[in-house]
Amino acid sequence: MSDARSDIFARIREALKVKAPKPHLKTDANPGKTSEVAKPWLPDGGETADASLAILSEQLAKLKAVLIRVPDQAAAVKAVAELASSKNWKKVAYHGHDLLRPVASGLSCETWEADATFDKQRLEGCDAGITTCESIVAQLGAILVSSATSGGRALSVLPHVHVVVAEASQVVPDLGSALALAKARHGDQMPSMLSFITGPSRTGDIERILVLGAHGPKELYLVLVG
Amino acid sequence: MSDSKAIFLKDAAVNAADGDQRAFIRKALGGYYTNRDLQKARYRDWERARDAASLAKWSAVNDLANVLEKFTANFERNGGVVHWARDAAEARAIILKIAEDAKAKAIVKSKCMTSEEIHLNDALEKAGYGVVESDLGEFIQQLRGEAPYHFVFPCMHVKREAISELFTKHLGTAPTDSPEELTMIARRHLRQLYVDADIGITGANFLVAETGQISITENEGNARLTAALPRIHIALSGIEKVVNKLDDLSVLLPMLATAGAGQPMTCYNTLYSGPRKKGECDGPEEFHIVLLDNARTRLLADPEQRDALHCIRCGACLNVCPIFKNIGGLAYGTTYQGPIGSVITPHLRGLKQWNHLSGASSLCGACTDACPVRIDLHHHLLHNRRNAAKESPTLFDRVFHHGFNFVIKRPWLFATGGRIFRATLPLLQKLPLPYMGAGMKTRDLPKAPSQSFRDQWKHQNV
């Protein structure tokens, strides 16, 4: 008996002997690159940095994510500290990153560099997780985190609140740009997880009524520096 | 009549007569229509974006052998293990073996319709594993002991009071009529289960050949947790989920969210390549993918309907289908409900037993218009009807078609037949006509014209 793999491949090759007509595409763009072809048809991500920031801000508001814009690093530290005390966080986990260590030091509650000594049970007991990100997609209000830049896989999803601290220069216009940037940065050594986070976790499973915080964070804050 | 057809006709009749339930479903879908239209309006050209999405899937499906080879090579290079399953039984055996080798006890699952297709939960439970569905809708359906009603909104037919009762019965929680509180009950209940589970099972929305990554689309964060905390991650996917380039997702992910749920993107769209990498603090030690054929190659072999394999399972065709809205998702008796289910189920499970679904359509074409990857859904229902009549014609098909053939070739017989029919029509209108089917219960026969069309044509002297 032949193995399943060769059987399936034989079936596929046999099936594809008869061709199916190709869908018609009215465009002059390079047909090899989907994002380039579809760019003028997809939602706008802004042509300039300012336009992108304006779209991002509108998208995040619609998603019920909170955008906090600050001029510099010191102001970011202050903004997160204020958030922590107003929300009464007791335990905060953060990703060990130069941008985040001063933020953690600025908090008066218990803080823990989660990726230095990872413990899933301890992470489950944290009120908030603070991470950096790879990039931010203005077009969709999506924040791209990865296991490399956000303290692994669970830190950005297990705690009840997720805070992302990022530079304004990390905002890209659209999804195609974010994917291209990730590929350029990591090549064939992609982090084991790349995740686009578009607003706080949500569900509509009960009577199609929107509820935030299904399994992931109920609140999402983006602190944008610069 | 096949068993599945008898059950379908009975359930469809009962559900279509349940006005309350139909109103409930229409109301539940109301918000979806509004949000979908708002999001679609942000596209500068939705119709042409559909062309691009369609082409991205066409390119992969029509070069499936090469694209799958590339995907699996890259998946393995990333440290994952690839398994192949010709059918449901093989897929179940592979997953049971992985669980056995791992000496697993507890398994947490995120939403995966392919696992419904192969009845995975039954097999795992029979083998003694504890299996918990973590998607809220699937969790509710698992407690109810019922199949999903809609492959994107699994419990959209269940009222909050029933969910509250269900939670009180199984989880011992206090009754509540707040969807938010009900969601929080499930959240609290499931959190520790992610931490304790040995194996996390997910589906896959896209398999990216270029990078060997799998892409998972969700809103709740349960798939994120399922792929983060357990020691082993198993993804189960049909072989048709593959795309060529990472860049293809720049169109497919937003369109999936907009068509399926009226969102710009769903909350989490996650790409996984391999198990935990060196230097990463968490994530599974093993990452397996089970690639399932289960008659998908049979559909692939039909070039006319091959585009049904482009389906990205957004559920848009269900949400607009007048049949789905009236008979509900459970009446179909299939893993995939609605128009796409009616198109592919006869290919996956046999045309003879499932051809009745080809009639579960008003042929209005709303499904075809809604499909983000331009699957020609309502024409495929017609293609299935034609194929069924060719493959195994019923007695009625044979008698009627031969009779029609005989008459239409003899104009004098046709004209005489017409005259007799016109003359006897007033009589027929007075007769009860049960053999004419359900349609006659609510409709009257039209009045007979005084002349045949051919006579009218002749007298006009055109």
Side-chain angles (χ1 to χ4, degrees):
Chain A
M1 198 181 102
S2 58
D3 66 307
R5 183 185 189 277
S6 21
D7 258 10
I8 292 171
F9 273 96
R11 289 177 190 172
I12 292 171
R13 294 210 164 90
E14 183 61 33
L16 288 176
K17 279 184 181 159
V18 191
K19 301 287 169 217
K22 189 174 179 172
H24 185 55
L25 199 60
K26 281 174 278 178
T27 177
D28 300 326
N30 167 16
K33 191 130 196 261
T34 303
S35 61
E36 195 185 305
V37 166
K39 192 181 162 75
W41 310 332
L42 293 174
D44 189 13
E47 293 299 324
T48 63
D50 282 346
S52 292
L53 272 169
I55 294 170
L56 174 68
S57 152
E58 194 186 325
Q59 288 307 307
L60 288 173
K62 282 186 193 155
L63 292 162
K64 302 192 193 324
V66 181
L67 173 65
I68 303 171
R69 295 204 61 186
V70 292
D72 54 31
Q73 173 73 19
V77 173
K78 196 163 160 256
V80 178
E82 276 168 10
L83 199 59
S85 62
S86 75
K87 297 280 174 180
N88 200 20
W89 296 340
K90 300 211 164 46
K91 293 177 196 163
V92 173
Y94 66 96
H95 164 51
H97 185 278
D98 288 342
L99 195 65
L100 300 180
R101 287 197 184 93
V103 172
S105 312
L107 299 180
S108 51
C109 62
E110 181 189 330
T111 60
W112 166 47
E113 190 178 314
D115 36 348
T117 53
F118 186 78
D119 174 350
K120 57 186 174 183
Q121 195 67 58
R122 186 173 174 193
L123 188 61
E124 199 277 325
C126 286
D127 300 302
I130 307 179
T131 72
T132 54
C133 67
E134 298 261 334
S135 60
I136 300 155
V137 183
Q139 176 195 36
L140 305 162
I143 301 167
L144 178 60
V145 300
S146 78
S147 43
T149 56
S150 302
R153 297 191 184 194
L155 179 58
S156 55
V157 76
L158 189 57
H160 301 284
V161 179
H162 182 202
V163 180
V164 180
V165 181
E167 308 269 3
S169 59
Q170 287 179 276
V171 176
V172 299
D174 52 27
L175 189 55
S177 318
L179 291 167
L181 186 63
K183 228 172 74 180
R185 187 176 291 160
H186 302 289
D188 60 2
Q189 292 299 317
M190 287 279 191
S192 75
M193 183 205 79
L194 280 164
S195 187
F196 289 96
I197 298 179
T198 314
S201 154
R202 64 195 58 205
T203 184
D205 274 347
I206 300 173
E207 299 190 6
R208 304 300 315 138
I209 294 165
L210 177 70
V211 176
L212 295 184
H215 294 281
K218 292 176 198 179
E219 297 168 33
L220 174 65
Y221 297 92
L222 173 61
V223 180
L224 206 55
V225 183
Chain B
M1 194 188 292
S2 68
D3 286 352
S4 47
K5 180 177 179 180
I7 296 168
F8 172 79
L9 289 177
K10 188 167 155 277
D11 285 2
V14 170
N15 296 347
D18 187 345
D20 281 352
Q21 185 64 23
R22 283 165 49 196
F24 179 74
I25 294 296
R26 275 200 306 277
K27 182 162 172 269
L29 285 171
Y32 160 81
Y33 298 134
T34 312
N35 291 329
R36 178 202 58 189
D37 292 345
L38 280 172
Q39 291 304 330
K40 269 169 81 169
R42 284 197 65 224
Y43 283 74
R44 286 171 283 186
D45 194 334
W46 172 260
E47 292 306 318
R48 288 170 90 179
R50 289 173 76 201
D51 292 340
S54 164
L55 183 62
K57 284 299 297 183
W58 181 91
S59 310
V61 167
N62 285 277
D63 190 21
L64 192 57
N66 292 327
V67 182
L68 267 177
E69 253 171 15
K70 199 167 163 196
F71 167 72
T72 50
N74 285 326
F75 187 87
E76 284 168 347
R77 185 180 52 76
N78 292 334
V81 184
V82 178
H83 307 264
W84 297 88
R86 277 169 284 214
D87 54 33
E90 281 188 355
R92 289 192 300 263
I94 290 164
I95 294 170
L96 283 168
K97 177 79 170 48
I98 297 171
E100 195 190 315
D101 289 349
K103 299 188 172 54
K105 289 190 185 70
I107 298 174
V108 66
K109 276 182 70 205
S110 73
K111 192 171 165 47
C112 172
M113 290 315 293
T114 318
S115 79
E116 300 283 343
E117 182 184 327
I118 66 167
H119 302 290
L120 181 61
N121 287 7
D122 277 355
L124 289 170
E125 278 163 9
K126 273 197 193 111
Y129 300 102
V131 189
V132 180
E133 291 287 350
S134 59
D135 173 85
L136 178 60
E138 294 284 344
F139 177 67
I140 290 167
Q141 289 308 92
Q142 190 184 25
L143 291 181
R144 286 169 62 86
E146 191 175 69
Y149 182 92
H150 178 301
F151 60 75
V152 176
F153 312 141
C155 68
M156 67 177 295
H157 63 307
V158 187
K159 296 190 171 99
R160 63 183 83 177
E161 295 79 13
I163 296 169
S164 171
E165 265 175 45
L166 192 72
F167 284 0
T168 305
K169 186 177 153 202
H170 291 274
L171 311 176
T173 50
T176 169
D177 64 354
S178 145
E180 178 159 13
E181 273 177 45
L182 290 167
T183 304
M184 292 310 133
I185 290 170
R187 177 187 173 96
R188 280 194 296 273
H189 176 75
L190 283 159
R191 277 177 86 78
Q192 193 58 41
L193 299 178
Y194 295 114
V195 177
D196 294 339
D198 311 292
I199 296 182
I201 298 179
T202 68
N205 294 84
F206 302 99
L207 315 173
V208 185
E210 179 189 27
T211 56
Q213 293 166 304
I214 72 164
S215 173
I216 300 179
T217 290
E218 54 151 344
N219 267 314
E220 297 182 0
N222 61 311
R224 284 280 311 271
L225 290 165
T226 302
L229 299 175
R231 204 151 42 80
I232 296 170
H233 176 191
I234 306 173
L236 171 66
S237 169
I239 51 174
E240 83 285 14
K241 293 289 174 70
V242 77
V243 294
N244 276 295
K245 303 269 186 191
L246 187 58
D247 184 64
D248 292 336
L249 300 186
S250 65
V251 174
L252 293 168
L253 295 180
M255 292 188 75
L256 170 59
T258 297
Q263 292 176 272
M265 275 268 264
T266 63
C267 272
Y268 301 99
N269 283 276
T270 310
L271 291 150
Y272 294 101
S273 50
R276 175 194 308 193
K277 283 203 163 53
K278 216 177 152 213
E280 292 180 349
C281 66
D282 65 352
E285 293 155 19
E286 293 174 31
F287 183 24
H288 299 264
I289 188 158
V290 181
L291 294 170
L292 177 71
D293 178 356
N294 211 23
R296 283 163 175 75
T297 44
R298 216 185 297 162
L299 185 49
L300 189 72
D302 180 354
E304 189 175 50
Q305 294 190 51
R306 187 177 292 159
D307 68 350
L309 290 171
H310 298 182
C311 177
I312 57 175
R313 303 281 187 266
C314 68
C317 59
L318 281 66
N319 300 340
V320 298
C321 177
I323 307 300
F324 176 85
K325 284 187 277 186
N326 283 322
I327 69 169
L330 297 172
Y332 288 85
T334 56
T335 308
Y336 309 102
Q337 309 80 15
I340 184 67
S342 300
V343 168
I344 64 176
T345 306
H347 291 267
L348 303 182
R349 297 195 193 169
L351 184 56
K352 204 164 175 193
Q353 295 79 37
W354 294 94
N355 180 48
H356 59 276
L357 293 181
S358 315
S361 165
S362 65
L363 300 178
C364 65
C367 48
T368 306
D369 282 346
C371 179
V373 291
R374 287 204 188 283
I375 301 170
D376 199 1
L377 288 157
H378 71 294
H379 286 113
H380 291 337
L381 293 172
L382 288 174
H383 297 145
N384 277 344
R385 292 184 195 183
R386 178 203 61 202
N387 295 347
K390 241 190 236 170
E391 220 175 77
S392 46
T394 59
L395 184 65
F396 176 80
D397 283 340
R398 270 179 302 201
V399 171
F400 183 80
H401 289 130
H402 280 118
F404 183 76
N405 214 0
F406 185 83
V407 173
I408 204 72
K409 282 179 181 159
R410 292 161 181 83
W412 63 270
L413 188 57
F414 184 78
T416 313
R419 264 194 294 279
I420 295 172
F421 188 68
R422 281 197 301 282
T424 52
L425 199 59
L427 208 68
L428 285 174
Q429 275 163 335
K430 293 203 178 76
L431 291 173
L433 297 166
Y435 49 87
M436 292 295 282
M440 293 311 297
K441 282 187 198 156
T442 49
R443 273 171 285 195
D444 293 325
L445 281 173
K447 283 207 166 57
S450 56
Q451 281 182 319
S452 74
F453 176 76
R454 294 200 307 169
D455 287 339
Q456 287 178 42
W457 188 266
K458 232 183 273 167
H459 293 144
Q460 275 183 19
N461 215 4
V462 180

